[in-house]
Amino acid sequence: MDFHQVLNSLVADDRLHARWLNTLSMMENTGARKISAAEDKTRVDLLMLKHAAEEARHAYYLKKQIGKLPDTDCPTYEPAFLLAPTESHAYLNRLDVQVCRYLKQTVGLKGSELKYAAYLLVTYAIEVRADELYPEYQAVLNETGSKVNVRSIIVEEEGHLAEMLRQMETFFGDWKPHAGRAVAIEAALYSAWLSSLSETLRRPVAQDFPK
Ligand SMILES: [Fe+2]
Ligand SMILES: [Fe+2]
């Protein structure tokens, strides 16, 4: 299944759609917590605070959207309320680990520089993905006349991508090879995540998901 087919199947079934929103919310929240964890206690700037706050808002906003789907409820991020819970949890953590390994072994960074550079590359790769994923999702929501909408997230993610580009330029100078590496790492992890989602959709819904 390609991503468009996955989205169509998800949006067509409220119980799956609720879990999709909850899964995205969990991933946004993981992103927000990772940004906060990467902040320098004293030198953190306005842009990084804004970014952490907006990712946390995305987590909250997506969770609120679940209320628009009748007879659904996903109160927590426990596996029963997520889609492909293992892969969805692993996606960001693996991206972080693999980007850090690249920055340590190939670029030779360590300490606070490594932490900040990893924040830049991991976040950049996620923003590239978000700028593709949310508009595709919104298009399916429009086509199906769903009450759910993610337009406000799209606007903020576009802003984040532009901000990450500026920050990478300042930190790395020649940022493109590093960004390309991060995007390649992310693409492999995204493809594994998408396979898990497709696998989930192939199984009978009622069996996996109690109301
Ligand atoms: Fe976000
Ligand atoms: Fe973002």
Side-chain angles (χ1 to χ4, degrees):
M1 262 194 247
D2 66 21
F3 186 53
H4 194 74
Q5 291 168 313
V6 166
L7 284 171
N8 273 306
S9 307
L10 292 173
V11 171
D13 181 308
D14 283 347
R15 277 182 298 171
L16 287 172
H17 196 183
R19 281 163 177 83
W20 166 245
L21 283 163
N22 200 39
T23 304
L24 289 178
S25 170
M26 182 276 288
M27 292 167 94
E28 291 280 2
N29 192 44
T30 305
R33 292 166 65 204
K34 276 190 181 294
I35 295 173
S36 297
E39 287 166 4
D40 186 281
K41 282 190 178 67
T42 52
R43 286 174 300 165
V44 60
D45 62 7
L46 182 72
L47 216 51
M48 204 162 174
L49 288 173
K50 172 175 169 283
H51 202 160
E54 288 178 352
E55 299 305 356
R57 190 193 77 82
H58 297 168
Y60 166 75
Y61 180 85
L62 289 161
K63 192 107 176 162
K64 282 278 282 181
Q65 296 298 300
I66 296 170
K68 294 180 176 175
L69 302 170
D71 301 325
T72 60
D73 193 15
C74 293
T76 68
Y77 294 143
E78 287 167 289
F81 304 119
L82 298 172
L83 294 176
T86 309
E87 290 295 335
S88 299
H89 274 293
Y91 164 80
L92 260 174
N93 292 330
R94 286 182 187 151
L95 180 58
D96 215 8
V97 167
Q98 291 181 33
V99 166
C100 279
R101 191 179 302 144
Y102 163 73
L103 287 169
K104 254 190 258 179
Q105 292 176 355
T106 312
V107 190
L109 295 183
K110 51 184 190 309
S112 59
E113 271 199 333
L114 169 68
K115 206 160 131 181
Y116 184 67
Y119 155 70
L120 292 178
L121 292 188
V122 167
T123 311
Y124 170 75
I126 292 168
E127 296 302 344
V128 170
R129 181 64 60 195
D131 276 18
E132 188 184 294
L133 185 149
Y134 282 113
E136 267 191 83
Y137 178 30
Q138 184 61 54
V140 172
L141 294 171
N142 292 345
E143 281 161 25
T144 55
S146 175
K147 286 181 184 159
V148 172
N149 93 76
V150 293
R151 285 186 207 96
S152 69
I153 297 183
I154 294 173
V155 174
E156 286 180 352
E157 299 295 17
E158 283 169 0
H160 294 167
L161 186 60
E163 287 156 14
M164 295 320 293
L165 285 171
R166 279 203 306 276
Q167 291 175 88
M168 283 198 305
E169 208 159 26
T170 308
F171 184 83
F172 290 112
D174 185 15
W175 56 274
K176 283 186 181 156
H178 306 302
R181 187 63 182 268
V183 166
I185 292 171
E186 191 280 338
L189 294 168
Y190 172 75
S191 151
W193 179 64
L194 196 55
S195 300
S196 298
L197 280 179
S198 306
E199 196 51 48
T200 302
L201 297 179
R202 271 193 278 272
R203 291 197 297 266
V205 175
Q207 179 190 316
D208 276 25
F209 303 127
K211 263 194 183 175

